[in-house]
Amino acid sequence: MMSRMKPIGRHIILVMIFGLVALTRLQHASAETGVVNDNQQRFSIAVPDFSGNSTSDGASWSTMAQVIASDLKASGRFALIESNVPIESNLPTEGRVDPVPHFDRWRGTDAKWLVIGRATKQEQRLLVRFQLWNVVKGQQFLGQQYVLRSEDDMQRIPHLMAEQIFKKLTGESGPSDGAANRN
């Protein structure tokens, strides 16, 4: 009777070890893909706020980038990546108004997505452009421009940009939907 118990005991121990190894691998795979406990994917994104193009009235991309980053982080779906990597590439930009990122340098960070933009003064208006780039593929994923005519626009537009980024990457309406209208 004892000889029959030993193989069964060994099998139970082997099954338990196998189960623990499988559970550990699943947890590791979940961490690598960025899936959080509620089964929602987290996106690693960089929103650099450095830009040397502040306008004479103080409006700048830096201010807008900080609002965008704050909104995305508050959603819980984005992991913000800090980096001092230069934005512009040395690639020829024929026909392009906006810079192309240094993708090979950005790939060295944990960022899979990159938001860049600029604000330029034109007559009595402010022209704001932004692009969302897929760092892995080296492709622009979203690009928009806005003409701001008032201080209210300056407060509202960065929230709208964050909502557009959220929706484009998740396919869902952002948790801050309507925040642009509350300011």
Side-chain angles (χ1 to χ4, degrees):
M1 185 87 167
M2 281 298 268
S3 63
R4 293 177 90 189
M5 294 292 277
K6 285 184 180 179
I8 291 174
R10 287 183 192 152
H11 288 293
I12 291 173
I13 290 173
L14 285 174
V15 167
M16 288 174 48
I17 291 171
F18 178 74
L20 287 173
V21 169
L23 179 62
T24 303
R25 285 189 179 181
L26 284 173
Q27 288 175 338
H28 179 70
S30 175
E32 282 185 343
T33 60
V35 176
V36 292
N37 290 339
D38 56 3
N39 292 327
Q40 293 181 328
Q41 183 177 5
R42 289 193 64 187
F43 298 90
S44 60
I45 192 166
V47 187
D49 64 359
F50 45 89
S51 172
N53 64 358
S54 183
T55 61
S56 61
D57 61 356
S60 71
W61 171 252
S62 178
T63 304
M64 292 183 194
Q66 291 170 5
V67 173
I68 294 167
S70 177
D71 283 1
L72 293 175
K73 183 177 181 180
S75 76
R77 297 287 300 273
F78 292 85
L80 293 177
I81 306 299
E82 300 287 329
S83 178
N84 292 325
V85 173
I87 294 176
E88 294 185 32
S89 170
N90 295 328
L91 295 173
T93 57
E94 272 185 43
R96 288 196 63 88
V97 175
D98 298 307
V100 174
H102 267 292
F103 290 114
D104 40 339
R105 291 185 183 173
W106 280 100
R107 286 182 190 114
T109 70
D110 289 331
K112 304 293 185 251
W113 299 94
L114 173 65
V115 178
I116 61 172
R118 73 166 82 188
T120 54
K121 189 84 170 186
Q122 290 185 343
E123 299 170 14
Q124 298 299 317
R125 302 175 300 183
L126 187 66
L127 178 65
V128 178
R129 295 183 180 157
F130 86 97
Q131 298 86 36
L132 173 64
W133 295 87
N134 181 320
V135 173
V136 175
K137 293 181 179 180
Q139 296 176 341
Q140 184 175 325
F141 197 62
L142 175 66
Q144 296 287 331
Q145 75 175 18
Y146 303 91
V147 177
L148 285 65
R149 293 181 175 89
S150 70
E151 184 65 31
D152 288 342
D153 288 345
M154 185 72 176
Q155 300 296 317
R156 184 175 57 86
I157 294 299
H159 296 289
L160 181 60
M161 291 180 202
E163 288 176 19
Q164 289 177 330
I165 293 166
F166 185 96
K167 187 169 187 168
K168 186 73 172 176
L169 291 178
T170 67
E172 304 168 6
S173 293
S176 63
D177 248 358
N181 296 325
R182 289 192 297 265
N183 288 331

